[in-house]
Amino acid sequence: MGSWLSKQLEPTSAHFTYLVLSIFLLIYAFFSDFIRNRLHLSEPPLATLVGILFGPLGLGLVDPESWGWQDTVTQEAARVVVSLQVFSVGVELPKAYFSRHWRSVGMLLVPVMTYSWLVTAGFVYAVLGTDWPTALIISACLAPTDPVLAAAVLQGSRFSARVPRRLRHMLSAESGCNDGTSFPFLYAGLLIFMGKSTKSIIGTWFLSTILWKCTLGLAVGLILGHFANRTLRIAERKDWIDPASFLVFYILLALLTVGIGSTLGLDDFLVAFGAGTGFAWDGWFANKTKETHLPNILDLLLNSSMFVYFGAITPWQMFMPRDITPFINPWKLVGLLVLIILFRRIPIVVLLKPLIPDIRTYREALFCGHFGPMGVGGLFLVIEARAQLETGESVPLPHPPEHHPNKVQIETVWPVVCFILLGSTFIHGCSVAGISLAGHYMRNKEERAPLLAAEDEGLDGMVHEGGGGESEPSVSGDEDVGLSKP
């Protein structure tokens, strides 16, 4: 009987993954309101923890490498997840948002990102002792804020309602743009590493990266989004499309941007964000679908699955000193993480506060400086960097080569970026709980909410009253009006 039963069972790693992932998502869905609004935790750190516990480091039930998954699969999975998220950000923003808030977002994308890139590179160079081009490549992977982690903090929770919508929209817009705008920083580091002349570097960088990848990518996305908006309006007005297909159109359009961007060698994320922005520029689609919570469904299914995967593939053994990378060790990586969390964004955002119209107080500047999480976008960028170092193209080898002129750089960028992404996932993912607990205990006893960290007033030191908390109307989620403080 036992022999017969053993022949019927098929406990492969892939099958265990289906079990672990579905059980985790079911449990999270069942307690989602309690987890998000009482414990103030979001999906990414929990999903990553599940991946670690059930991955090769833990129980060994979730082992993507045993399925034959390779770097190319990691790259494409990250590409799809981030593209869908930045598309969603573009759709969820208020109508014609950038026509009124371009200055605030522009300040975060240009001076803040440039500072983040250079300062992070300086920390990598000083702490790990890498060469300067390698430090620039690593810092480019860490310069953008992650739309997946940002969405987990800025949308759909009790805490997010305590933050002025003005700031939430600005940070969401930044997270939607800067995964795409990180490509110029990444390719600048790669071109410098290749040792070409200054004239050749500038020419190649401007033509291939700025004009082709970024400018054309954004233009294609905006045109595609506007065209899709018009055609969907016609189909809906003439009753050519049923309600289910109306919702599916959203996902299919996002996937189309991935196909167009990747096939043409454009900046996938700017294509996707441009398409989402163009598609919802007039607010029509957002108002049509605001009761469906479609972005939240995508967050739960795709984004959480991606973080489970990230937890399972984290290269723990590469965090220790090895012959090829003796300068990497856990203490150096922890020190680097602390420096990056403290100084990557906060100082420059606080310094530029007078020049960013949507940031009204220095407490708001501190908040915006801190909430610059690094996540799945960085995972895609580091695979892109490894591919360029391995093959000179955007398609990576299945696994890092045993012998290669750039072996040290290839074996350095992956563990360093993964460690910082891992730390950011937990630190930024748990920051809401820390801020809520600190705010609770900083109040007088008679002013505290009956339940621990259950306050729902606007956060202290931020402008909520007199319209300062709003961004503008005609956006999905209008109902959470700006909160007022007594």
Side-chain angles (χ1 to χ4, degrees), residues 162-175:
R162 302 179 65 191
V163 179
R165 285 193 297 169
R166 157 179 48 85
L167 296 184
R168 280 185 278 148
H169 291 152
M170 181 186 69
L171 292 174
S172 292
E174 180 204 9
S175 71

Side-chain angles (χ1 to χ4, degrees), residues 132-151:
W132 185 244
T134 301
L136 289 173
I137 293 170
I138 291 172
S139 65
C141 299
L142 303 174
T145 58
D146 188 66
V148 178
L149 273 166

Side-chain angles (χ1 to χ4, degrees), residues 313-359:
I313 66 169
T314 301
W316 300 98
Q317 71 282 0
M318 298 178 74
F319 299 154
M320 305 300 294
R322 297 177 298 149
D323 291 340
I324 191 71
T325 54
F327 47 85
I328 293 179
N329 64 61
W331 291 112
K332 285 186 176 181
L333 291 174
V334 169
L336 180 62
L337 173 63
V338 172
L339 289 172
I340 290 174
I341 294 296
L342 291 178
F343 299 107
R344 167 175 159 265
R345 278 173 57 93
I346 294 174
I348 189 64
V349 175
V350 171
L351 181 65
L352 295 179
K353 176 258 175 189
L355 303 178
I356 305 176
D358 283 324
I359 298 181

Side-chain angles (χ1 to χ4, degrees), residues 377-390:
L379 189 63
F380 174 86
L381 291 171
V382 72
I383 294 289
E384 179 85 7
R386 271 175 50 175
Q388 291 290 338
L389 291 171
E390 292 169 355

Side-chain angles (χ1 to χ4, degrees), residues 2 58 83 275 289 344 374:
S83 295
T289 60
R344 167 175 159 265
M374 299 160 279

